[in-house]
Amino acid sequence: MKLLLLILLAQLCSASLVPEIEKDPEYWREQAQETLQHALRLQRLNQNVAKNLILFLGDGMGVSTVTAARILKGQLQHRKGEESLLEMDKFPYVALAKTYNTNAQVPDSAGTATAYLCGVKANEGTVGVSASVTRDRCNTTKGQEVTSILRWAKDAGKAVGIVTTTRVTHATPSAAYAHSANRDWYSDGEMPPDALEGGCRDIARQLVENIPDIEVILGGGRKYMFPKNASDVEYPHEDKHRGTRLDRRDLIQAWYKAKPPGKVAKYVWHRRDLLALNLSRVDFLLGESWHPRVPWLQLGAVGGAPGLACGAGAAGVASPGRCCLQGMLVPPRMLQALHEAVELDRAIGLATRLTSVQDTLSVVTADHSHVFTFGGYTPRGNPIFGLAPMQSDVDRKPFTSILYGNGPGYKIVAGERENVSAVDFAHADYQAQSAVPLRQETHGGEDVAVFARGPMAHLLHGVHEQNYIPHAMAYAACIGSNRAHCNAASRPGASVLLPFLALLFLLC
C-alpha cells in the first residue's frame, strides 16, 4: 500500500511539472507556426547601412552559460525558467565562432579579443598585434600592430566608447585601443625592465595616448592610472589600492590635456557622480572605479562602477553614436556567473529599446567559454542552483546540477568527495564541484554563439572564424577598408550613413 501511494505521489508531482497549456499539442503547433512565419519574413533582408554598431561581449559566456542564464532569468520572474527568452534569444540570426588562438587550441581572452575586435587571429596573451608577436617579447611588437574596429570607426569620423565591468586595461577591452606583447602589462609597474628599455608602452598609457578622443570610457582598475604609492581617492589608507605607475605620471590629467579646446571632459569615480552628470553636455566621459573587476553584487549598487544596464544608458546618451561594454562572468562561482549573465541581458534589452533595428546592428557573443555544465536529469523547473534529483550510483552522494570540468571546487573530505548537502551550495561564493583540482578553472575550447540583429545581420550565419565578426560589422557600417559597396546604388534599401557609429562592447 505504501509503495502504491509513493508511486501515485511521484506521478502527481511529475504531472504538476508540466504547465497545463503545454499538454495541448496545439500549443506546440501554433508556436512552431509563429516561428515559421517569423523565419519567412527574414527572407526580406535588411541591407541598410548601419548607423550604429553594438557589440555585446559576455566574457566566458559559453552556450551552456546562456542556457542556464535563461533558466535563471525565468526563475527570478517566478516561472519554471526553461520556457523563458533572453534578449539575445530574440535576435533572428545566430552563428557559431571558432575561438582558438593561433598557438592555442583552448584560447585566452587576449588572443580572442584581438580576433573579434581587430579582425586578426593572434597568439594567446598578446593584445592588438599579429601572430608574429611572441608573448613577453617586446622586441617582436614593432610593425606588427593591428587596429580595431573602434579605430576604423574613429577614422570614419564616428563616436566611440568602451564600457566594462572589469578593469579598462583588461585583455578584453584593451584590444580596442592597445598593442601589447603581454596582456598583463597594465601599467609600467607591471612590466619587466627589458620591455621598458625596449620602448614598449603599458596598456593604461596606450588607453590615453593611442586613441585620445574615445568619447566614453567606463570601467575599473584606476590604480594603473596613478603614480606608484599615490593614495586612492576612495580608499586612501589601503595599500592594495595605491597607484602603480613607475613613471610618476597621472594619466587622468594626461587624459584631460589631450582633449580639444572647447570640449567638455568629465572624470568620475563613483556612481553618484555619474548619475549627477548632465550627459547631454558632456563630450568626453571617463569613469573608473578601483575594482580590478566590478563585483557582481555591486552592479548598479551605490559604490563602484555602474551596472551594465546603467553603463549602457549613460554611454548611449553621452555618445549617441557608439560605446563599449563588457560583461564579466566569473566561474566557478556559479551563482555570480549566471547573475552577471542576466545583468548582461538587461543591458542588451535596454540598448534594444534605445535603438532601431533599421539602423543599428547589434551583435552578442563571447570571447570563449568555460568548462561549465549542468545536467543530472533535473526535472522541469528545478532550481538552476539546486541539486540533481539523484545521487551518484558510485559514491552515493548528492550533487548539484551545475558542475565544472576543472577548478578549485574539487574537494576531498575524509578520502571521499565532499557531501554537498552539508554546505550552502546556493551561496554567492560557493564554488561548484569540479572533476579535476586546479587553483583556477580553465577556459573551454568549444565554439561560442554569435547572435545578430539589424542591418546586414544575415552576414553572421553558420560557423565562422572569430576574426570574421568585426569585418562583417564594418561592412554593414561602411567603415574600414572594405567600402566599395557603399554607394547607395549598390545597396538595395540602403539609407544615408549618418554621422555616428555605436559599438557597445559588453564585458560583460
Side-chain angles (χ1 to χ4, degrees), residues 367-418:
D367 47 354
H368 52 75
S369 70
H370 281 274
V371 288
F372 169 99
T373 186
F374 71 100
Y377 299 114
T378 47
R380 179 77 178 271
N382 197 71
I384 192 61
F385 302 121
L387 295 173
M390 57 189 292
Q391 293 184 343
S392 165
D393 58 4
V394 176
D395 65 13
R396 304 299 176 186
K397 288 185 174 64
F399 59 94
T400 56
S401 172
I402 293 176
L403 297 167
Y404 286 86
N406 56 51
Y410 181 94
K411 290 183 180 178
I412 297 296
V413 178
E416 297 181 345
R417 181 173 66 92
E418 182 181 39

Side-chain angles (χ1 to χ4, degrees), residues 34-274:
E34 284 182 19
T35 304
L36 177 61
Q37 291 305 313
H38 179 70
L40 290 170
R41 287 194 292 272
L42 293 179
Q43 293 180 94
R44 298 190 294 273
L45 300 178
N46 180 348
Q47 299 186 67
N48 295 343
V49 173
K51 168 188 172 183
N52 306 309
L53 296 180
I54 304 180
L55 176 60
F56 300 92
L57 193 285
D59 197 311
M61 190 177 68
V63 172
S64 57
T65 299
V66 172
T67 306
R70 179 189 305 132
I71 294 172
L72 174 60
K73 179 182 179 180
Q75 293 182 349
L76 290 173
Q77 298 169 345
H78 308 292
R79 300 158 63 189
K80 292 186 181 298
E82 297 82 4
E83 74 290 346
S84 301
L85 283 176
L86 293 168
E87 295 297 331
M88 68 188 84
D89 292 337
K90 302 172 187 176
F91 284 28
Y93 298 95
V94 181
L96 291 175
K98 298 192 286 184
T99 63
Y100 67 92
N101 297 151
T102 46
N103 66 339
Q105 187 179 74
V106 176
D108 99 307
S109 298
T112 54
T114 303
Y116 61 74
L117 287 176
C118 302
V120 174
K121 287 228 173 191
N123 292 328
E124 60 86 26
T126 64
V127 172
V129 291
S130 77
S132 295
V133 175
T134 303
R135 185 170 187 171
D136 294 323
R137 296 278 299 281
C138 169
N139 62 0
T140 63
T141 306
K142 189 173 182 179
Q144 298 303 320
E145 300 88 349
V146 293
T147 57
S148 74
I149 190 171
L150 187 143
R151 164 61 78 181
W152 309 342
K154 258 297 159 196
D155 289 346
K158 315 306 177 184
V160 300
I162 301 168
V163 181
T164 174
T165 58
T166 188
R167 59 178 72 87
V168 178
T169 50
H170 182 274
T172 306
S174 68
Y177 60 84
H179 316 285
S180 179
N182 190 312
R183 56 174 286 176
D184 298 327
W185 291 349
Y186 304 124
S187 78
D188 58 352
E190 283 74 40
M191 295 176 67
D194 66 302
L196 293 173
E197 293 165 5
C200 284
R201 294 177 300 152
D202 63 89
I203 295 171
R205 180 179 168 189
Q206 292 187 60
L207 172 66
V208 172
E209 295 180 349
N210 285 5
I211 312 178
D213 52 351
I214 298 174
E215 279 76 5
V216 177
I217 303 170
L218 293 174
R222 66 171 173 251
K223 69 179 183 179
Y224 305 113
M225 309 290 282
F226 293 101
K228 187 172 179 63
N229 293 324
S231 296
D232 182 75
V233 64
E234 190 173 6
Y235 301 98
H237 304 299
E238 297 189 26
D239 290 344
K240 66 180 179 180
H241 300 316
R242 294 183 182 276
T244 65
R245 302 200 60 79
L246 300 177
D247 60 10
R248 311 300 300 169
R249 293 184 66 190
D250 181 334
L251 292 186
I252 302 301
Q253 291 305 312
W255 177 80
Y256 273 117
K257 291 178 181 178
K259 300 298 170 285
K263 295 295 184 179
V264 178
K266 293 291 185 180
Y267 166 69
V268 297
W269 55 266
H270 200 283
R271 183 174 183 266
R272 64 168 176 261
D273 300 325
L274 175 63

Side-chain angles (χ1 to χ4, degrees), residues 454-472:
M456 308 303 284
H458 55 278
L459 297 179
L460 291 160
H461 66 285
V463 180
H464 301 298
E465 293 286 0
Q466 194 171 36
N467 67 291
Y468 169 72
I469 294 172
H471 292 285

Side-chain angles (χ1 to χ4, degrees), residues 46-55 149 153 156-159 320-322 355-363 452-460 469-480 483 485-486 491-503:
N46 180 348
Q47 299 186 67
N48 295 343
V49 173
K51 168 188 172 183
N52 306 309
L53 296 180
I54 304 180
L55 176 60
I149 190 171
K158 315 306 177 184
R322 147 183 198 149
T355 58
S356 167
V357 70
Q358 294 305 312
D359 65 10
T360 300
L361 173 60
S362 300
V363 176
R453 169 187 181 270
M456 308 303 284
H458 55 278
L459 297 179
L460 291 160
I469 294 172
H471 292 285
M473 296 180 72
Y475 183 94
C478 288
I479 62 172
R483 290 182 290 179
H485 62 291
C486 291
R491 286 282 290 276
S495 62
V496 177
L497 180 61
L498 297 176
F500 289 109
L501 172 76
L503 168 65

